[in-house]
Amino acid sequence: MLEVDDEHLGGETDVGPVTIWIGVFLEITSATAAYDAAQEILALLAKHQITDVDVDFRGSVYTHEVASVLVPPVDDLDPLLEVVSPITPALGVHISTRARPNAQGTMAVYLAEGGKGNNNRLLGLSCRHVLVSPQEPNTPVAWHPSAPSRDVLLLGERAFNKLIDSIKLKVGGHGIAVERWNQQIEGFKKREAGDNAADARKATTSRIKTEQLVAEAEEATEALQTFLEDVNRDWKSINKRVLGPVLYCPPINLGVGDERFTEDWGVFQVDRAKLGPGFQGNMMDLGTNMSPEEFTRKCFARDDANWSFKYPDNRLLPLMNTITDQQMRHPDMFDVNREPCLLVVKSGNTTGTTIGRANGVFSIVREYYARDMNVHQTSMEWGIFGYDGKSGAFSKPGDSGSIVADIKGRIGGMLTGGSGKTETLDMTYATPFWWLLKRIKATKFPNAHLSIAV
Protein backbone atom coordinates (compact mmCIF):
# COMPACT_ATOMS: atom_id res chain seq x y z
CA MET A 1 0.00 0.00 0.00
CA LEU A 2 1.36 3.44 -0.93
CA GLU A 3 1.55 6.15 1.69
CA VAL A 4 1.40 9.86 0.82
CA ASP A 5 2.39 12.62 3.25
CA ASP A 6 -0.22 15.25 2.50
CA GLU A 7 -0.16 18.28 4.77
CA HIS A 8 -3.57 19.36 3.45
CA LEU A 9 -5.11 16.08 4.57
CA GLY A 10 -3.54 16.26 8.01
CA GLY A 11 -0.75 13.70 7.78
CA GLU A 12 -0.26 10.27 6.23
CA THR A 13 -3.09 9.00 4.07
CA ASP A 14 -3.50 5.53 2.57
CA VAL A 15 -4.12 5.43 -1.16
CA GLY A 16 -4.02 2.70 -3.75
CA PRO A 17 -3.60 0.15 -5.07
CA VAL A 18 -2.02 1.53 -8.24
CA THR A 19 -4.20 1.00 -11.29
CA ILE A 20 -2.80 0.72 -14.80
CA TRP A 21 -5.37 2.02 -17.25
CA ILE A 22 -5.18 0.70 -20.81
CA GLY A 23 -7.22 2.36 -23.55
CA VAL A 24 -8.65 0.03 -26.19
CA PHE A 25 -11.22 0.01 -29.00
CA LEU A 26 -14.13 -1.76 -27.28
CA GLU A 27 -15.63 -2.83 -30.59
CA ILE A 28 -12.65 -5.03 -31.47
CA THR A 29 -11.23 -6.00 -28.04
CA SER A 30 -12.76 -9.13 -26.53
CA ALA A 31 -12.96 -9.82 -22.79
CA THR A 32 -10.68 -12.83 -23.25
CA ALA A 33 -8.00 -10.77 -25.01
CA ALA A 34 -8.13 -8.16 -22.27
CA TYR A 35 -7.87 -10.78 -19.52
CA ASP A 36 -4.89 -12.49 -21.17
CA ALA A 37 -3.09 -9.17 -21.64
CA ALA A 38 -3.70 -8.23 -17.99
CA GLN A 39 -2.23 -11.54 -16.78
CA GLU A 40 0.91 -10.99 -18.84
CA ILE A 41 1.34 -7.49 -17.41
CA LEU A 42 0.84 -8.71 -13.83
CA ALA A 43 3.31 -11.55 -14.34
CA LEU A 44 5.93 -9.12 -15.67
CA LEU A 45 5.45 -6.82 -12.67
CA ALA A 46 5.62 -9.75 -10.24
CA LYS A 47 9.10 -10.58 -11.50
CA HIS A 48 10.17 -7.20 -10.13
CA GLN A 49 8.35 -7.72 -6.81
CA ILE A 50 5.56 -5.32 -7.77
CA THR A 51 2.34 -6.97 -6.71
CA ASP A 52 -0.07 -4.37 -5.36
CA VAL A 53 -1.28 -3.36 -8.83
CA ASP A 54 -4.57 -3.56 -10.72
CA VAL A 55 -4.92 -3.61 -14.51
CA ASP A 56 -8.07 -2.18 -16.01
CA PHE A 57 -9.25 -1.57 -19.58
CA ARG A 58 -11.34 1.32 -20.80
CA GLY A 59 -12.76 2.40 -24.12
CA SER A 60 -10.54 5.17 -25.50
CA VAL A 61 -9.94 6.85 -28.84
CA TYR A 62 -6.93 9.16 -29.16
CA THR A 63 -7.58 12.34 -31.09
CA HIS A 64 -5.34 15.30 -31.90
CA GLU A 65 -6.48 18.57 -30.33
CA VAL A 66 -6.44 21.19 -33.05
CA ALA A 67 -5.33 24.61 -31.84
CA SER A 68 -7.85 27.43 -32.16
CA VAL A 69 -6.93 29.88 -34.92
CA LEU A 70 -8.18 33.43 -35.42
CA VAL A 71 -10.28 34.03 -38.50
CA PRO A 72 -9.58 36.53 -41.28
CA PRO A 73 -11.59 39.77 -41.42
CA VAL A 74 -14.63 39.48 -43.67
CA ASP A 75 -16.01 41.65 -46.47
CA ASP A 76 -18.93 44.05 -46.16
CA LEU A 77 -21.52 41.58 -47.48
CA ASP A 78 -20.55 38.71 -45.19
CA PRO A 79 -23.30 37.81 -42.66
CA LEU A 80 -20.63 37.69 -39.91
CA LEU A 81 -19.52 41.29 -40.53
CA GLU A 82 -20.93 42.79 -37.32
CA VAL A 83 -19.86 39.99 -34.95
CA VAL A 84 -16.57 38.52 -36.16
CA SER A 85 -14.03 41.23 -35.29
CA PRO A 86 -13.26 40.02 -31.70
CA ILE A 87 -11.65 36.86 -33.08
CA THR A 88 -9.72 38.38 -35.97
CA PRO A 89 -6.02 39.37 -35.66
CA ALA A 90 -6.60 43.00 -36.74
CA LEU A 91 -5.59 45.67 -34.21
CA GLY A 92 -8.13 46.26 -31.53
CA VAL A 93 -7.51 42.75 -30.14
CA HIS A 94 -9.45 42.32 -26.90
CA ILE A 95 -7.18 40.88 -24.22
CA SER A 96 -7.24 39.77 -20.60
CA THR A 97 -5.08 37.50 -18.44
CA ARG A 98 -5.48 34.06 -16.92
CA ALA A 99 -4.93 35.58 -13.48
CA ARG A 100 -7.68 38.19 -13.99
CA PRO A 101 -10.07 36.90 -16.69
CA ASN A 102 -12.70 39.47 -15.71
CA ALA A 103 -10.35 42.42 -16.28
CA GLN A 104 -10.37 43.77 -19.83
CA GLY A 105 -7.98 45.71 -22.02
CA THR A 106 -6.70 46.04 -25.56
CA MET A 107 -3.49 45.10 -27.34
CA ALA A 108 -1.77 48.11 -28.89
CA VAL A 109 0.42 46.80 -31.74
CA TYR A 110 2.45 43.83 -32.84
CA LEU A 111 6.21 44.14 -32.58
CA ALA A 112 8.77 41.93 -34.29
CA GLU A 113 12.26 41.25 -33.04
CA GLY A 114 15.24 41.45 -35.36
CA GLY A 115 18.67 40.12 -34.62
CA LYS A 116 20.17 36.67 -34.58
CA GLY A 117 17.95 33.97 -33.15
CA ASN A 118 14.89 36.19 -32.67
CA ASN A 119 13.64 36.69 -36.22
CA ASN A 120 10.51 34.62 -35.68
CA ARG A 121 9.45 35.96 -32.28
CA LEU A 122 6.31 38.08 -32.42
CA LEU A 123 5.45 40.38 -29.53
CA GLY A 124 2.34 42.15 -28.34
CA LEU A 125 2.26 45.49 -26.50
CA SER A 126 -0.24 46.76 -23.96
CA CYS A 127 -0.38 48.63 -20.64
CA ARG A 128 1.15 47.07 -17.57
CA HIS A 129 -2.06 47.76 -15.64
CA VAL A 130 -3.86 45.55 -18.18
CA LEU A 131 -1.33 42.71 -17.89
CA VAL A 132 -0.55 42.87 -14.15
CA SER A 133 -2.92 43.49 -11.28
CA PRO A 134 -2.53 46.92 -9.63
CA GLN A 135 -2.72 45.05 -6.32
CA GLU A 136 0.68 43.48 -6.95
CA PRO A 137 3.87 45.24 -5.87
CA ASN A 138 4.96 47.85 -8.41
CA THR A 139 8.18 46.04 -9.26
CA PRO A 140 9.52 44.65 -12.56
CA VAL A 141 7.73 41.57 -13.86
CA ALA A 142 9.83 39.30 -16.07
CA TRP A 143 9.28 35.90 -17.61
CA HIS A 144 11.37 33.08 -16.19
CA PRO A 145 11.32 29.44 -17.37
CA SER A 146 11.00 28.09 -13.83
CA ALA A 147 8.21 30.48 -12.79
CA PRO A 148 4.49 30.08 -13.53
CA SER A 149 3.55 31.63 -16.87
CA ARG A 150 1.54 34.86 -16.78
CA ASP A 151 -0.68 34.01 -19.74
CA VAL A 152 -2.32 36.72 -21.82
CA LEU A 153 -5.72 35.72 -23.16
CA LEU A 154 -7.72 36.64 -26.20
CA LEU A 155 -11.01 37.90 -24.73
CA GLY A 156 -11.75 38.11 -21.03
CA GLU A 157 -14.83 36.41 -19.65
CA ARG A 158 -17.06 39.44 -20.19
CA ALA A 159 -15.74 39.98 -23.71
CA PHE A 160 -16.31 36.33 -24.58
CA ASN A 161 -19.86 36.40 -23.23
CA LYS A 162 -20.49 39.67 -25.08
CA LEU A 163 -19.37 37.99 -28.32
CA ILE A 164 -21.72 35.06 -27.73
CA ASP A 165 -24.61 37.39 -26.93
CA SER A 166 -23.94 39.50 -30.05
CA ILE A 167 -24.20 36.42 -32.27
CA LYS A 168 -27.40 35.26 -30.59
CA LEU A 169 -28.85 38.76 -30.88
CA LYS A 170 -28.08 38.82 -34.59
CA VAL A 171 -29.71 35.40 -35.08
CA GLY A 172 -32.78 36.57 -33.17
CA GLY A 173 -33.00 39.72 -35.27
CA HIS A 174 -33.01 37.70 -38.48
CA GLY A 175 -35.72 35.47 -37.03
CA ILE A 176 -37.98 38.45 -36.27
CA ALA A 177 -37.41 39.88 -39.74
CA VAL A 178 -38.18 36.56 -41.47
CA GLU A 179 -41.41 36.17 -39.54
CA ARG A 180 -42.52 39.68 -40.53
CA TRP A 181 -41.51 39.22 -44.17
CA ASN A 182 -43.37 35.92 -44.44
CA GLN A 183 -46.51 37.67 -43.21
CA GLN A 184 -45.99 40.35 -45.85
CA ILE A 185 -45.53 37.70 -48.55
CA GLU A 186 -48.94 36.24 -47.70
CA GLY A 187 -50.45 39.71 -48.09
CA PHE A 188 -48.71 40.19 -51.47
CA LYS A 189 -50.14 36.87 -52.68
CA LYS A 190 -53.66 37.99 -51.84
CA ARG A 191 -53.17 41.23 -53.73
CA GLU A 192 -51.81 39.30 -56.72
CA ALA A 193 -55.07 37.36 -56.82
CA GLY A 194 -57.16 40.53 -56.74
CA ASP A 195 -58.98 42.31 -59.59
CA ASN A 196 -56.68 45.36 -59.73
CA ALA A 197 -54.10 44.42 -62.36
CA ALA A 198 -51.75 47.34 -61.63
CA ASP A 199 -51.75 46.59 -57.91
CA ALA A 200 -51.23 42.88 -58.63
CA ARG A 201 -48.11 43.68 -60.64
CA LYS A 202 -46.73 45.81 -57.78
CA ALA A 203 -47.51 43.03 -55.32
CA THR A 204 -45.66 40.51 -57.50
CA THR A 205 -42.58 42.71 -57.61
CA SER A 206 -42.69 43.24 -53.83
CA ARG A 207 -43.24 39.52 -53.18
CA ILE A 208 -40.20 38.52 -55.25
CA LYS A 209 -37.99 41.07 -53.50
CA THR A 210 -39.26 40.04 -50.07
CA GLU A 211 -38.76 36.34 -50.82
CA GLN A 212 -35.16 37.19 -51.70
CA LEU A 213 -34.79 38.97 -48.36
CA VAL A 214 -36.11 35.89 -46.58
CA ALA A 215 -33.67 33.65 -48.43
CA GLU A 216 -30.74 35.93 -47.56
CA ALA A 217 -31.79 36.14 -43.90
CA GLU A 218 -32.13 32.36 -43.65
CA GLU A 219 -28.69 31.94 -45.23
CA ALA A 220 -27.23 34.48 -42.79
CA THR A 221 -28.90 32.73 -39.85
CA GLU A 222 -27.34 29.43 -40.85
CA ALA A 223 -23.90 31.05 -41.12
CA LEU A 224 -24.30 32.74 -37.74
CA GLN A 225 -25.44 29.54 -36.03
CA THR A 226 -22.43 27.71 -37.45
CA PHE A 227 -20.19 30.54 -36.27
CA LEU A 228 -21.74 30.36 -32.80
CA GLU A 229 -20.96 26.65 -32.62
CA ASP A 230 -17.40 27.31 -33.80
CA VAL A 231 -16.85 30.04 -31.21
CA ASN A 232 -18.16 27.89 -28.36
CA ARG A 233 -16.06 24.94 -29.49
CA ASP A 234 -12.84 26.79 -30.25
CA TRP A 235 -12.76 29.69 -27.77
CA LYS A 236 -14.89 28.94 -24.69
CA SER A 237 -12.01 27.27 -22.85
CA ILE A 238 -9.50 29.71 -21.38
CA ASN A 239 -6.71 27.32 -22.35
CA LYS A 240 -7.62 27.78 -26.02
CA ARG A 241 -7.59 31.57 -25.70
CA VAL A 242 -3.96 31.87 -24.59
CA LEU A 243 -2.01 34.21 -26.88
CA GLY A 244 1.29 33.86 -25.02
CA PRO A 245 3.14 34.72 -21.79
CA VAL A 246 4.00 38.13 -20.40
CA LEU A 247 7.72 38.68 -21.05
CA TYR A 248 8.40 41.94 -19.26
CA CYS A 249 6.62 44.83 -17.55
CA PRO A 250 8.61 47.63 -15.93
CA PRO A 251 7.15 49.32 -12.85
CA ILE A 252 4.57 51.99 -13.56
CA ASN A 253 6.32 55.34 -13.27
CA LEU A 254 5.11 58.89 -13.84
CA GLY A 255 7.19 61.82 -14.99
CA VAL A 256 9.87 59.64 -16.58
CA GLY A 257 12.87 61.19 -18.33
CA ASP A 258 13.29 64.71 -19.61
CA GLU A 259 9.90 64.52 -21.33
CA ARG A 260 8.15 63.58 -18.04
CA PHE A 261 5.94 60.98 -19.75
CA THR A 262 4.10 58.02 -18.20
CA GLU A 263 5.72 54.60 -18.30
CA ASP A 264 2.91 52.04 -18.16
CA TRP A 265 3.65 49.26 -20.62
CA GLY A 266 4.23 45.55 -20.89
CA VAL A 267 5.30 43.16 -23.64
CA PHE A 268 4.06 39.62 -24.14
CA GLN A 269 4.87 36.93 -26.64
CA VAL A 270 2.27 36.13 -29.29
CA ASP A 271 1.80 32.64 -30.66
CA ARG A 272 2.02 33.47 -34.34
CA ALA A 273 0.34 30.20 -35.38
CA LYS A 274 -2.80 31.23 -33.46
CA LEU A 275 -3.19 34.34 -35.63
CA GLY A 276 -4.11 32.22 -38.63
CA PRO A 277 -3.94 32.99 -42.35
CA GLY A 278 -5.74 36.33 -41.93
CA PHE A 279 -2.83 37.95 -40.08
CA GLN A 280 -1.63 41.02 -42.00
CA GLY A 281 0.50 42.77 -39.40
CA ASN A 282 -0.41 46.13 -37.87
CA MET A 283 -3.74 46.78 -39.57
CA MET A 284 -6.45 48.56 -37.59
CA ASP A 285 -10.00 47.32 -38.07
CA LEU A 286 -12.20 50.39 -38.60
CA GLY A 287 -15.17 48.28 -37.55
CA THR A 288 -18.86 48.90 -38.07
CA ASN A 289 -19.56 51.65 -35.51
CA MET A 290 -19.60 54.08 -38.43
CA SER A 291 -20.41 53.47 -42.06
CA PRO A 292 -17.60 54.12 -44.55
CA GLU A 293 -19.52 57.19 -45.72
CA GLU A 294 -19.85 58.66 -42.20
CA PHE A 295 -16.23 57.89 -41.36
CA THR A 296 -15.01 59.55 -44.56
CA ARG A 297 -17.14 62.66 -44.01
CA LYS A 298 -15.48 63.17 -40.63
CA CYS A 299 -11.98 63.02 -42.11
CA PHE A 300 -11.17 66.48 -43.41
CA ALA A 301 -8.30 66.99 -45.82
CA ARG A 302 -4.85 67.76 -44.53
CA ASP A 303 -3.05 71.01 -45.21
CA ASP A 304 -1.48 69.17 -48.14
CA ALA A 305 -4.03 69.62 -50.96
CA ASN A 306 -2.63 66.57 -52.74
CA TRP A 307 -3.82 64.19 -50.03
CA SER A 308 -7.28 63.21 -48.88
CA PHE A 309 -8.58 60.32 -46.81
CA LYS A 310 -9.75 57.24 -48.70
CA TYR A 311 -11.62 54.61 -46.75
CA PRO A 312 -9.84 51.24 -47.19
CA ASP A 313 -11.76 48.69 -49.23
CA ASN A 314 -11.29 45.98 -46.58
CA ARG A 315 -11.89 48.33 -43.60
CA LEU A 316 -8.29 47.70 -42.48
CA LEU A 317 -6.19 50.84 -41.99
CA PRO A 318 -2.48 49.99 -42.38
CA LEU A 319 -0.37 51.59 -39.66
CA MET A 320 3.01 52.77 -40.85
CA ASN A 321 5.49 55.25 -39.46
CA THR A 322 5.18 57.23 -36.25
CA ILE A 323 3.87 60.70 -35.46
CA THR A 324 6.88 62.71 -34.33
CA ASP A 325 6.96 65.03 -31.36
CA GLN A 326 7.06 67.96 -33.78
CA GLN A 327 3.98 66.73 -35.65
CA MET A 328 2.11 66.20 -32.38
CA ARG A 329 2.76 69.77 -31.28
CA HIS A 330 2.10 71.30 -34.72
CA PRO A 331 -0.83 69.35 -36.24
CA ASP A 332 -1.25 69.25 -40.02
CA MET A 333 -4.97 68.47 -40.18
CA PHE A 334 -8.19 70.29 -39.27
CA ASP A 335 -11.27 69.59 -37.18
CA VAL A 336 -14.87 70.38 -38.10
CA ASN A 337 -14.26 74.04 -37.21
CA ARG A 338 -11.14 74.17 -39.38
CA GLU A 339 -8.94 74.41 -36.29
CA PRO A 340 -5.54 72.69 -36.54
CA CYS A 341 -5.52 69.21 -35.02
CA LEU A 342 -4.63 65.62 -35.75
CA LEU A 343 -7.70 63.51 -36.55
CA VAL A 344 -7.01 60.26 -34.75
CA VAL A 345 -8.69 56.88 -34.54
CA LYS A 346 -8.52 53.94 -32.20
CA SER A 347 -10.16 50.51 -31.92
CA GLY A 348 -10.74 49.48 -28.32
CA ASN A 349 -12.22 46.65 -26.28
CA THR A 350 -15.11 48.69 -24.89
CA THR A 351 -16.00 51.40 -27.41
CA GLY A 352 -14.77 49.85 -30.66
CA THR A 353 -13.72 52.35 -33.33
CA THR A 354 -13.88 56.04 -32.48
CA ILE A 355 -12.49 59.23 -34.04
CA GLY A 356 -11.00 61.99 -31.91
CA ARG A 357 -8.96 65.19 -32.06
CA ALA A 358 -5.44 65.79 -30.82
CA ASN A 359 -4.84 69.53 -31.00
CA GLY A 360 -1.20 69.60 -29.94
CA VAL A 361 -1.90 70.00 -26.23
CA PHE A 362 0.02 67.90 -23.71
CA SER A 363 -1.73 67.57 -20.38
CA ILE A 364 -0.22 67.38 -16.92
CA VAL A 365 -1.84 64.38 -15.27
CA ARG A 366 -1.96 64.03 -11.50
CA GLU A 367 -2.43 60.42 -10.47
CA TYR A 368 -3.41 59.55 -6.92
CA TYR A 369 -2.67 56.24 -5.27
CA ALA A 370 -5.73 54.29 -4.18
CA ARG A 371 -4.18 53.37 -0.82
CA ASP A 372 -3.34 56.97 0.09
CA MET A 373 -5.12 59.88 -1.57
CA ASN A 374 -2.52 62.25 -0.17
CA VAL A 375 0.21 60.63 -2.27
CA HIS A 376 0.38 61.58 -5.93
CA GLN A 377 2.70 62.09 -8.86
CA THR A 378 2.39 64.12 -12.01
CA SER A 379 3.17 63.19 -15.58
CA MET A 380 2.83 64.55 -19.11
CA GLU A 381 0.39 62.86 -21.49
CA TRP A 382 -0.75 63.38 -25.07
CA GLY A 383 -4.32 64.66 -24.77
CA ILE A 384 -7.14 63.54 -27.08
CA PHE A 385 -10.69 64.94 -27.19
CA GLY A 386 -13.81 63.41 -28.65
CA TYR A 387 -14.58 64.28 -32.26
CA ASP A 388 -17.38 66.68 -31.29
CA GLY A 389 -20.05 67.12 -28.68
CA LYS A 390 -22.41 64.66 -30.39
CA SER A 391 -20.11 61.73 -31.09
CA GLY A 392 -19.60 60.55 -27.52
CA ALA A 393 -16.40 59.79 -25.67
CA PHE A 394 -13.25 58.79 -27.50
CA SER A 395 -12.64 56.04 -24.94
CA LYS A 396 -14.02 54.33 -21.85
CA PRO A 397 -12.62 51.96 -19.20
CA GLY A 398 -11.52 48.75 -20.92
CA ASP A 399 -9.94 50.58 -23.86
CA SER A 400 -6.56 50.86 -22.10
CA GLY A 401 -3.75 49.64 -24.30
CA SER A 402 -5.42 50.69 -27.56
CA ILE A 403 -3.13 52.24 -30.14
CA VAL A 404 -4.06 55.73 -31.27
CA ALA A 405 -3.14 56.57 -34.88
CA ASP A 406 -4.02 59.42 -37.20
CA ILE A 407 -6.20 58.85 -40.24
CA LYS A 408 -3.12 58.60 -42.43
CA GLY A 409 -1.98 55.54 -40.48
CA ARG A 410 0.82 57.20 -38.50
CA ILE A 411 1.09 55.69 -35.02
CA GLY A 412 0.58 58.29 -32.29
CA GLY A 413 0.45 56.73 -28.86
CA MET A 414 -0.83 54.02 -26.54
CA LEU A 415 -3.98 54.82 -24.59
CA THR A 416 -3.34 54.71 -20.83
CA GLY A 417 -6.39 56.37 -19.27
CA GLY A 418 -8.73 59.32 -19.24
CA SER A 419 -10.47 61.90 -17.11
CA GLY A 420 -14.03 63.11 -16.73
CA LYS A 421 -17.14 61.34 -15.58
CA THR A 422 -16.84 57.70 -14.58
CA GLU A 423 -18.71 56.38 -17.59
CA THR A 424 -17.83 59.09 -20.11
CA LEU A 425 -14.29 60.40 -20.33
CA ASP A 426 -13.95 64.01 -21.48
CA MET A 427 -10.25 63.62 -22.19
CA THR A 428 -8.25 60.54 -23.19
CA TYR A 429 -4.55 60.28 -22.40
CA ALA A 430 -1.93 58.41 -24.40
CA THR A 431 1.82 57.95 -24.10
CA PRO A 432 3.54 59.06 -27.34
CA PHE A 433 4.73 56.03 -29.26
CA TRP A 434 7.92 57.68 -30.54
CA TRP A 435 9.03 57.86 -26.89
CA LEU A 436 7.52 54.54 -25.85
CA LEU A 437 9.33 52.52 -28.50
CA LYS A 438 12.62 54.04 -27.37
CA ARG A 439 11.91 52.91 -23.81
CA ILE A 440 11.00 49.40 -24.95
CA LYS A 441 14.20 49.10 -26.97
CA ALA A 442 16.35 50.55 -24.18
CA THR A 443 14.92 48.26 -21.51
CA LYS A 444 14.62 44.66 -22.69
CA PHE A 445 13.94 44.50 -26.42
CA PRO A 446 16.72 46.32 -28.31
CA ASN A 447 15.75 44.77 -31.64
CA ALA A 448 12.00 45.44 -31.44
CA HIS A 449 10.44 47.08 -34.49
CA LEU A 450 7.13 47.55 -36.31
CA SER A 451 8.08 45.93 -39.64
CA ILE A 452 6.13 42.69 -39.37
CA ALA A 453 6.80 40.06 -42.03
CA VAL A 454 3.53 38.41 -43.11
Side-chain angles (χ1 to χ4, degrees):
M1 188 71 68
L2 295 177
E3 292 183 338
V4 178
D5 184 13
D6 190 337
E7 62 180 7
H8 300 293
L9 296 178
E12 295 184 347
T13 304
D14 293 340
V15 297
V18 172
T19 299
I20 298 176
W21 291 96
I22 301 176
V24 297
F25 291 105
L26 294 179
E27 294 82 358
I28 61 175
T29 305
S30 67
T32 300
Y35 175 81
D36 291 343
Q39 297 308 306
E40 291 182 12
I41 293 170
L42 293 172
L44 178 61
L45 295 173
K47 290 181 181 180
H48 297 276
Q49 289 78 49
I50 302 174
T51 57
D52 193 18
V53 177
D54 285 342
V55 177
D56 204 349
F57 292 81
R58 65 196 302 182
S60 179
V61 178
Y62 175 77
T63 58
H64 292 281
E65 183 171 324
V66 179
S68 303
V69 175
L70 295 176
V71 302
V74 299
D75 61 59
D76 289 354
L77 298 180
D78 195 292
L80 305 183
L81 173 64
E82 296 181 6
V83 297
V84 74
S85 63
I87 55 170
T88 70
L91 294 184
V93 176
H94 305 349
I95 61 172
S96 184
T97 62
R98 186 188 293 275
R100 298 187 302 151
N102 291 316
Q104 301 186 123
T106 309
M107 190 192 81
V109 292
Y110 297 101
L111 296 171
E113 275 192 306
K116 186 177 180 180
N118 289 320
N119 291 311
N120 294 322
R121 192 157 78 157
L122 187 66
L123 309 176
L125 172 68
S126 190
C127 295
R128 174 190 165 111
H129 74 261
V130 171
L131 303 178
V132 179
S133 171
Q135 303 304 316
E136 293 191 36
N138 191 29
T139 56
V141 170
W143 178 85
H144 192 278
S146 63
S149 177
R150 293 173 174 265
D151 291 333
V152 177
L153 307 178
L154 172 75
L155 304 176
E157 288 302 292
R158 282 183 293 163
F160 177 80
N161 291 332
K162 182 179 178 181
L163 171 60
I164 294 296
D165 289 343
S166 71
I167 302 170
K168 292 179 178 178
L169 186 64
K170 201 69 179 172
V171 169
H174 284 307
I176 293 171
V178 167
E179 182 178 1
R180 175 171 173 270
W181 287 331
N182 280 330
Q183 291 174 347
Q184 290 179 344
I185 288 171
E186 293 305 312
F188 295 143
K189 289 179 178 178
K190 292 179 180 178
R191 288 169 54 192
E192 288 179 86
D195 297 332
N196 189 324
D199 184 62
R201 287 194 296 271
K202 290 180 180 180
T204 299
T205 300
S206 297
R207 174 180 57 78
I208 293 172
K209 290 181 178 180
T210 307
E211 287 174 342
Q212 181 61 34
L213 291 175
V214 169
E216 291 174 357
E218 290 175 342
E219 182 180 348
T221 299
E222 183 177 353
L224 286 161
Q225 288 173 335
T226 299
F227 182 58
L228 179 61
E229 294 172 2
D230 293 344
V231 170
N232 273 315
R233 181 192 66 235
D234 295 340
W235 301 105
K236 186 173 184 178
S237 167
I238 281 183
N239 290 334
K240 291 187 175 184
R241 302 208 301 267
V242 174
L243 291 173
V246 172
L247 297 178
Y248 184 73
C249 298
I252 294 177
N253 283 306
L254 305 181
V256 176
D258 295 337
E259 298 86 357
R260 311 297 296 166
F261 288 141
T262 300
E263 184 158 61
D264 178 7
W265 60 270
V267 169
F268 59 96
Q269 187 165 348
V270 177
D271 180 0
R272 195 181 189 112
K274 189 175 286 290
L275 302 181
F279 178 57
Q280 300 179 49
N282 286 311
M283 307 280 277
M284 182 186 292
D285 187 351
L286 298 184
T288 57
N289 282 2
M290 290 172 277
S291 68
E293 295 77 18
E294 180 185 2
F295 194 101
T296 302
R297 282 197 302 268
K298 290 185 173 183
C299 296
F300 290 84
R302 299 173 67 232
D303 203 15
D304 179 0
N306 295 321
W307 184 90
S308 62
F309 177 78
K310 293 181 175 59
Y311 195 91
D313 292 341
N314 56 3
R315 300 186 325 282
L316 299 179
L317 179 68
L319 302 191
M320 299 175 291
N321 303 320
T322 302
I323 302 175
T324 66
D325 185 49
Q326 175 74 7
Q327 290 166 335
M328 285 184 171
R329 297 178 187 276
H330 301 281
D332 55 2
M333 302 180 190
F334 301 97
D335 65 12
V336 66
N337 297 315
R338 302 298 295 174
E339 294 294 331
C341 76
L342 288 175
L343 290 173
V344 295
V345 60
K346 73 101 186 71
S347 178
N349 189 326
T350 303
T351 56
T353 304
T354 54
I355 299 178
R357 297 171 294 126
N359 61 7
V361 172
F362 281 77
S363 298
I364 298 176
V365 179
R366 174 173 289 184
E367 183 164 325
Y368 290 87
Y369 289 86
R371 297 177 183 176
D372 187 350
M373 289 299 291
N374 293 315
V375 179
H376 67 266
Q377 287 180 289
T378 58
S379 188
M380 295 293 291
E381 294 274 25
W382 186 36
I384 300 159
F385 299 92
Y387 181 80
D388 56 28
K390 301 177 181 179
S391 299
F394 183 71
S395 69
K396 291 183 180 180
D399 288 329
S400 288
S402 303
I403 202 67
V404 180
D406 70 15
I407 58 174
K408 199 177 182 183
R410 299 177 297 187
I411 297 174
M414 184 173 71
L415 196 156
T416 56
S419 65
K421 300 177 183 178
T422 303
E423 294 297 324
T424 303
L425 304 179
D426 302 320
M427 171 78 83
T428 293
Y429 299 118
T431 301
F433 192 78
W434 66 263
W435 180 87
L436 183 58
L437 186 57
K438 286 182 181 179
R439 295 291 298 174
I440 293 169
K441 292 164 74 73
T443 307
K444 285 284 185 179
F445 306 93
N447 298 312
H449 57 84
L450 289 164
S451 299
I452 312 293
V454 295

